Amino acid sequence: MDQIEKLQKLVDESKRIVFFGGAGVSTESGIPDFRSVDGLYHQKYDYPPETILSHTFFVRHTEEFYRFYRDKMLCLDAKPNDAHKKLAELEAAGKLSAVVTQNIDGLHQMAGSKKVLELHGSVHRNFCQKCGAQYDAHYMKESVGIPKCEKCGGVLKPDVVLYEECLNDDIMGESIYEIGHADMLIIGGTSLVVYPAAGLIHYYQGKRLVLINKSATSQDRNADLVIQGSIGEILRQIKVR
C-alpha cells in the first residue's frame, strides 16, 4: 500500500478529523513565507522580517512596519489551492470538525471552510486602537503611510498576533479542545518550530497522526504516517466519501 492509499484509508476510518496547518499551505497559493530571509528582504528592508513583525517595531517604527506589511502580508489576489478546497470538502461531508491554522490570509474561509481557528489572527480584520472601529484588508492595502481611522484619527492595527504578543486565549482553548477530541490529526505545511502553536500537537490523543510537509519535522518519529511533498498535490488525491 503506498502513502496516498494509507492516507485514504485513515481518512475513510475517521469521523472527526482536525487539520493543523502552517505557512506551507499558503505558499502553494503564492503567498511568501516571511520567515525565510532572502535577498529581496535584504535589498529592500533594513531589518529581518521577525524584527519588523514584532510589537515593539510596530509601536516604534509604525510607518516602516506598514511598508513591509502592505508589500509582503497583504496578498489579496491569492486564491485557495487544492489543499484549502479539499479541507472545505471534507468539512462539508461531515468528516472534518475544524481547521486550526497559523496563517492569517483567510484562504480557508475563501475555499468554503466554516470552522477555522486562526491562531495568529487575520489580515482581514483591522481595528482602530483608539475607538475600536473596524476596517477591512482592502482599506489597509490602499492606505498611504500609517493608516488612520476615518472616525477619530487613531492609528489602525491589524488583528494579527505579532512577535512578543500573546495568542488569543479563546482561540487557543478551542483549538486544544478540537485537537484533543479528534480521531485523526493531519498536520500540514509546518515544520512545527513556532511556539506556542506547535505545542498543540501534544493535546492529540488519537492513533491517526499524519504529517505532510516538504521537509522533515521534529515530530516525524511520533507520526503514524509521514508524507513529504506538496500538500495541495497530496490532498487533491484524497476522495471524500
Side-chain angles (χ1 to χ4, degrees):
M1 190 186 293
D2 72 9
Q3 289 182 310
I4 300 296
E5 286 175 321
K6 282 181 191 167
L7 178 58
Q8 181 71 63
K9 184 173 183 292
L10 293 174
V11 168
D12 290 343
E13 291 168 355
S14 305
K15 294 187 175 70
R16 196 180 172 102
I17 302 168
V18 169
F19 177 82
F20 178 81
V25 180
S26 293
T27 51
E28 293 186 25
S29 288
I31 293 179
D33 177 1
F34 59 82
R35 282 186 202 89
S36 49
V37 181
D38 57 26
L40 180 69
Y41 295 128
H42 288 308
Q43 291 158 28
K44 262 181 114 170
Y45 304 100
D46 298 331
Y47 307 90
E50 281 90 344
T51 302
I52 297 173
L53 295 170
S54 68
H55 179 82
T56 300
F57 194 92
F58 174 79
V59 172
R60 292 181 184 166
H61 310 279
T62 313
E63 192 159 358
E64 177 74 359
F65 169 89
Y66 271 115
R67 193 162 75 91
F68 179 88
Y69 182 79
R70 284 189 198 94
D71 193 25
K72 289 286 161 202
M73 312 297 285
L74 291 177
C75 306
L76 303 184
D77 294 331
K79 297 284 185 279
N81 60 52
D82 287 335
H84 298 108
K85 292 172 187 171
K86 186 61 68 176
L87 293 166
E89 198 184 331
L90 283 163
E91 184 187 39
K95 299 279 289 179
L96 182 137
S97 60
V99 169
V100 180
T101 182
Q102 295 172 284
N103 298 328
I104 57 175
D105 47 52
L107 290 178
H108 285 292
Q109 290 92 329
M110 205 184 293
S113 288
K114 302 284 187 277
K115 182 71 172 280
V116 183
L117 300 169
E118 296 171 312
L119 294 171
H120 295 160
S122 172
V123 298
H124 296 284
R125 296 187 300 271
N126 305 274
F127 62 94
C128 172
Q129 297 183 102
K130 204 167 166 186
C131 75
Q134 302 285 322
Y135 291 86
D136 65 14
H138 291 284
Y139 183 89
M140 305 299 276
K141 186 82 169 176
E142 288 157 17
S143 63
V144 178
I146 299 172
K148 301 279 179 68
C149 177
E150 291 178 341
K151 295 173 183 171
C152 76
V155 174
L156 303 186
K157 184 177 185 294
D159 186 10
V160 167
V161 180
L162 301 176
Y163 289 99
E164 305 166 346
E165 293 180 343
C166 295
L167 271 61
N168 180 292
D169 283 343
D170 292 340
I171 298 291
M172 273 296 276
E174 210 173 338
S175 301
I176 288 167
Y177 176 86
E178 288 294 344
I179 289 171
H181 287 77
D183 62 2
M184 178 177 185
L185 178 62
I186 303 173
I187 297 175
T190 173
S191 48
L192 294 169
V193 292
V194 178
Y195 281 83
L200 288 170
I201 182 176
H202 302 302
Y203 291 96
Y204 180 60
Q205 305 297 318
K207 301 287 185 210
R208 303 184 191 103
L209 175 60
V210 177
L211 291 179
I212 304 171
N213 199 41
K214 285 186 174 169
S215 56
T217 80
S218 59
Q219 293 295 325
D220 285 6
R221 66 186 180 280
N222 299 322
D224 300 287
L225 177 62
V226 176
I227 308 178
Q228 287 192 5
S230 154
I231 184 145
E233 286 175 21
I234 289 159
L235 289 186
R236 180 169 47 82
Q237 299 174 66
I238 298 304
K239 295 178 177 64
V240 179
R241 49 201 182 202

